Amino acid sequence: MKEKKVAMLPLIALLALLLIQPPVLSQPVPPREETLIVSDSWGAPRGWNPLASGMTWGWALMYPSLFFYSTYKDTWIPYLASGYEWVDEYTILIYLRPEAKWWDGVPITSEDVVFTWELAKEYNAPWVGAFLPYIESIEAKGTHTVQITLKKDNLNYFALFDFLHYAATDGPGGGFIVLPKHRWEKLKAQYGPRLATDFLDDNPEQIVGGGPYRLYIWSEDVWYYVRVDNWWGRDIFGLPAPKYIAHRTFKD
């Protein structure tokens, strides 16, 4: 009997490995000629939950920031925002584009911006911590108007400029992105304090974003984003050229 138990161990170990393997690509790999390949990090993807630490490369492709900064032209490009207006030296109004919609057709509004700010603060999201010492409050002043008030005792315009856009680094201090309130308030109710730790958001079919790319397929070594051809920004910015963006992990 002892010999039989020992013989079963390799089989049990093999089954265990199969169970913890990441999913294989469930759809055909996109054509190379339509794919932009990026290699920015090593290791398997850690999920696409923006509230979690160590986010997987590319998640910011799926969620809009208020502005975008072009390092090539050294200019600010309004993205989700259409413009801004200073009320006084501590207060700025950000006007959102009325055309903006989430992938499921729900309009993107100032309530999404405020909700994201409060949610990210509550769960200590890595991309808001750098701005907490400088921003007093973020409030909705209408469906498409957001008011940001800076702290009078710690005024820092450079921090505000960093906040208004999201950098390609995808790291702490990279800026602010907006999440859909109608999805994430349900996730918060479901997961509670475990939302930033237990929820990976790795099912492409369930993610609701508002950016020009959505998660398509993924495995341990490579994951793909596919262009959203009916993206709300196509008539404003045009569609990005690559139909797919792939991230390949490098080994060393």
Side-chain angles (χ1 to χ4, degrees):
M1 292 295 293
K2 291 183 179 179
E3 292 181 358
K4 290 183 179 179
K5 288 183 179 179
V6 172
M8 287 293 290
L9 288 177
L11 177 59
I12 293 172
L14 176 60
L15 290 174
L17 285 173
L18 290 174
L19 288 174
I20 63 173
Q21 286 297 309
V24 297
L25 299 179
S26 57
Q27 301 188 52
V29 174
R32 175 64 185 93
E33 63 272 16
E34 297 183 85
T35 305
L36 170 67
I37 296 179
V38 177
S39 188
D40 184 72
S41 60
W42 62 84
R46 291 157 290 186
W48 285 265
N49 179 354
L51 301 180
S53 59
M55 298 86 70
T56 296
W57 185 94
W59 66 276
L61 295 170
M62 301 191 291
Y63 301 103
S65 57
L66 295 171
F67 289 82
F68 181 79
Y69 176 71
S70 172
T71 55
Y72 300 103
K73 296 183 178 180
D74 188 27
T75 186
W76 286 83
I77 301 171
Y79 180 6
L80 180 58
S82 61
Y84 64 91
E85 177 184 358
W86 284 100
V87 177
D88 54 47
E89 60 182 313
Y90 305 108
T91 311
I92 186 172
L93 296 176
I94 307 295
Y95 301 109
L96 306 183
R97 297 186 186 275
E99 304 94 338
K101 291 180 172 60
W102 301 109
W103 296 334
D104 59 5
V106 175
I108 303 176
T109 70
S110 54
E111 292 293 336
D112 293 302
V113 178
V114 175
F115 173 81
T116 302
W117 170 248
E118 296 299 332
L119 185 73
K121 285 197 303 179
E122 180 178 351
Y123 287 93
N124 196 28
W127 37 274
V128 298
F131 308 111
L132 294 177
Y134 310 110
I135 295 180
E136 182 69 37
S137 65
I138 297 180
E139 305 170 83
K141 295 296 182 180
T143 305
H144 297 105
T145 304
V146 176
Q147 178 176 291
I148 301 176
T149 303
L150 304 177
K151 291 187 177 181
K152 295 181 179 180
D153 59 350
N154 200 17
L155 186 61
N156 189 325
Y157 293 120
F158 293 105
L160 173 66
F161 297 150
D162 264 350
F163 174 84
L164 290 178
H165 83 292
Y166 199 93
T169 55
D170 285 0
F176 183 75
I177 55 92
V178 182
L179 302 175
K181 178 182 177 180
H182 66 286
R183 181 183 185 228
W184 283 85
E185 63 182 355
K186 295 176 183 176
L187 291 171
K188 180 182 177 182
Q190 178 182 352
Y191 285 90
R194 300 178 293 108
L195 180 58
T197 56
D198 295 4
F199 179 58
L200 299 179
D201 210 12
D202 57 0
N203 185 339
E205 295 181 358
Q206 295 179 359
I207 298 175
V208 178
Y213 288 90
R214 66 167 68 238
L215 182 62
Y216 181 55
I217 48 178
W218 66 274
S219 71
E220 182 179 32
D221 298 320
V222 59
W223 50 97
Y224 290 85
Y225 299 91
V226 61
R227 189 177 60 207
V228 180
D229 286 343
N230 63 345
W231 175 50
W232 62 267
R234 64 176 300 165
D235 294 332
I236 301 171
F237 309 105
L239 288 176
K243 184 171 182 180
Y244 301 94
I245 298 179
H247 181 284
R248 288 190 175 275
T249 60
F250 50 82
K251 303 305 179 184
D252 58 37

